[in-house]
């Protein structure tokens, strides 16, 4: 007789769970190995957020066009490239200043500086290179834009510190991104139409608070442990109420922009579509689901496209 613990079949060992790997980005597929950490430091492997830097500039370039004419296509292309560079500068500054915090956050601990793939000295040298490229971009613009664009960097250099000083770093980010409204217009026109640009600037601030609060919910628990401040932490369970308020303020400000800029009626159906996009984000986002927060954050490139399409059609039919 065999004991009840014996068995004629060999003991089965459970195989370890398979690791889930995200699809390789173009950086991993195409760039040389030595260049990849620098590209990832500049977030070139995640290009969607570049649109969030570009759209405020594109909006103001389009609204500065003469009625019935297309905006300056060369200027749009130039600012598109400039947005890639500027976003890389901001990400590098952020990672240099936050590398100790990033090590404590699950989502960011594998970044090049936090993981030690790049040293702080290498990161700083790369930052200097990117700033020089940004200054080269500004030299393609008029003198007024050169001054505005150079001072813009001061805001972005300060932004990573805000999460240590205030509960509203998302608002400071919006203020920084909204500066692009003035730079884009200054590159096209010598005089700025503040009646249109100031409400557009405020709309960008409200928009940035909305999407960056959603983004910050990915790291809310880790940020609390690390002592980092954010609107995601401050708003807490009332986040969706706050986001609804900022969404309404954003759309109202853009409506005032259209009115003050004398945009024709096609602007407003596009603005309604943009409002629906924000309403969809706020109503459907699952703030406890990191993947869904990221999807909603990335979707804001379409909000920017709706507004740009509206300005374009409003200018052409005026």
């Amino acid at each position: 007789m065999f004991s009840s613990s014996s068995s004629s079949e060999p003991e089965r060992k459970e195989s370890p769970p398979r690791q889930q790997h995200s699809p390789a980005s173009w950086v991993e597929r195409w760039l040389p190995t030595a260049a990849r950490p620098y590209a990832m430091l500049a977030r070139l492997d995640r290009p969607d957020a570049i649109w969030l830097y570009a759209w405020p500039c594109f909006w103001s370039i389009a609204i500065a066009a003469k009625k019935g004419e297309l905006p300056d296509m060369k200027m749009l292309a130039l600012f598109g490239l400039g947005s890639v560079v500027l976003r890389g500068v901001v990400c590098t500054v952020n990672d240099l200043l936050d590398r100790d915090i990033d090590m404590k956050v699950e989502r960011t601990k594998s970044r090049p500086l936090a993981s030690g793939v790049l040293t702080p000295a290498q990161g700083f040298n790369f930052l200097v290179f990117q700033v020089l490229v940004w200054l080269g971009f500004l030299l393609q613009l008029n003198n007024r834009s050169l001054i505005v664009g150079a001072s813009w960097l001061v805001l972005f250099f300060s932004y990573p510190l805000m999460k240590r000083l205030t509960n509203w770093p998302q608002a400071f980010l919006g203020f920084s991104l909204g500066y692009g409204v003035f730079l884009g217009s200054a590159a096209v026109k010598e005089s700025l139409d503040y009646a249109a640009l100031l409400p557009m600037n405020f709309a960008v601030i409200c928009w940035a608070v909305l999407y960056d609060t959603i983004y910050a919910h990915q790291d809310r628990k880790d940020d609390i442990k690390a002592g980092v401040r954010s609107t995601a932490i401050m708003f807490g369970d009332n986040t969706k109420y706050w986001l609804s308020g900022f969404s309404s303020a954003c759309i109202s400000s853009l409506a005032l922009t259209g009115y003050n800029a004398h945009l024709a009626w096609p602007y407003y159906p596009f603005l309604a579509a943009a409002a629906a996009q924000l309403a969809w984000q706020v109503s459907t986002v699952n703030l406890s689901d990191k993947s869904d927060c990221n999807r909603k954050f990335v979707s804001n490139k379409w909000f920017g496209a709706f507004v740009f399409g509206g300005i374009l059609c409003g200018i052409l039919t005026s």
Side-chain angles (χ1 to χ4, degrees):
M1 297 288 295
F2 295 99
S3 65
S4 59
S5 61
S6 301
S7 173
S8 58
E9 296 183 4
E11 183 180 354
R12 294 181 180 179
K13 295 182 179 180
E14 294 185 2
S15 58
R18 295 181 180 179
Q19 292 183 339
Q20 299 294 325
H21 296 286
S22 58
S25 68
W26 73 271
V27 167
E28 296 170 294
R29 291 196 305 267
W30 298 107
L31 288 188
T33 303
R36 291 175 192 170
Y38 294 98
M40 291 181 176
L41 182 58
R43 307 285 198 279
L44 295 180
D45 57 323
R46 299 181 179 181
D48 290 304
I50 293 171
W51 288 107
L52 305 180
Y53 290 78
W55 282 129
C57 302
F58 287 178
W59 295 351
S60 62
I61 291 172
I63 214 167
K66 294 180 179 180
K67 296 295 190 288
E69 296 184 8
L70 287 170
D72 189 329
M73 304 306 289
K74 179 181 177 182
M75 198 62 67
L76 288 173
L78 189 60
F79 270 80
L81 293 174
S83 297
V84 176
V85 177
L86 181 62
R87 196 256 186 143
V89 169
V90 175
C91 291
T92 303
V93 171
N94 183 80
D95 286 10
L96 279 168
L97 294 176
D98 283 356
R99 59 186 183 275
D100 293 336
I101 295 175
D102 287 345
M103 293 170 62
K104 302 174 184 177
V105 177
E106 184 66 29
R107 186 179 59 84
T108 60
K109 66 182 182 181
S110 61
R111 286 177 176 174
L113 289 171
S115 64
V117 175
L118 292 178
T119 66
Q122 289 173 315
F124 179 77
N125 291 336
F126 183 55
L127 173 63
V128 172
F129 168 74
Q130 291 177 98
V131 169
L132 291 175
V133 175
W134 172 251
L135 293 178
F137 156 73
L138 294 179
L139 289 174
Q140 308 305 309
L141 309 178
N142 55 38
N143 291 335
R144 184 174 187 174
S145 301
L146 178 61
I147 297 171
V148 174
S151 61
W152 199 11
L153 284 181
V154 177
L155 294 176
F156 281 120
F157 275 41
S158 305
Y159 163 64
L161 301 175
M162 293 301 110
K163 64 187 71 174
R164 298 169 173 83
L165 302 175
T166 176
N167 291 325
W168 292 90
Q170 282 69 29
F172 190 86
L173 174 64
F175 180 76
S176 303
L177 290 169
Y179 211 66
V181 165
F182 303 111
L183 179 59
S185 186
V188 178
K189 298 170 65 176
E190 285 298 325
S191 59
L192 300 180
D193 182 6
Y194 288 106
L197 295 180
L198 285 176
M200 181 183 285
N201 172 264
F202 184 69
V204 173
I205 295 173
C206 294
W207 180 36
V209 172
L210 185 151
Y211 65 65
D212 205 51
T213 298
I214 292 175
Y215 186 81
H217 266 275
Q218 296 178 91
D219 306 323
R220 188 171 180 271
K221 292 181 180 179
D222 289 331
D223 284 348
I224 292 173
K225 294 177 182 178
V228 173
R229 302 181 184 183
S230 74
T231 49
I233 296 172
M234 184 176 65
F235 296 165
D237 294 337
N238 295 318
T239 290
K240 289 200 174 187
Y241 295 107
W242 282 93
L243 296 187
S244 297
F246 281 106
S247 175
S248 299
C250 174
I251 296 301
S252 299
S253 297
L254 288 173
L256 182 59
T257 294
Y259 178 80
N260 289 346
H262 308 291
L263 296 179
W265 68 266
Y267 171 71
Y268 297 98
F270 277 90
L271 185 59
Q277 205 279 339
L278 290 187
W280 167 77
Q281 285 189 62
V282 174
S283 62
T284 64
V285 64
N286 182 352
L287 296 172
S288 300
D289 185 336
K290 294 182 179 181
S291 297
D292 192 49
C293 287
N294 187 66
R295 282 194 296 269
K296 296 302 191 297
F297 169 76
V298 169
S299 76
N300 281 278
K301 62 186 177 184
W302 299 114
F303 172 84
F306 284 133
V307 176
F308 179 76
I311 294 172
L312 188 62
C313 293
I315 287 288
L316 290 176
T317 56
S318 295

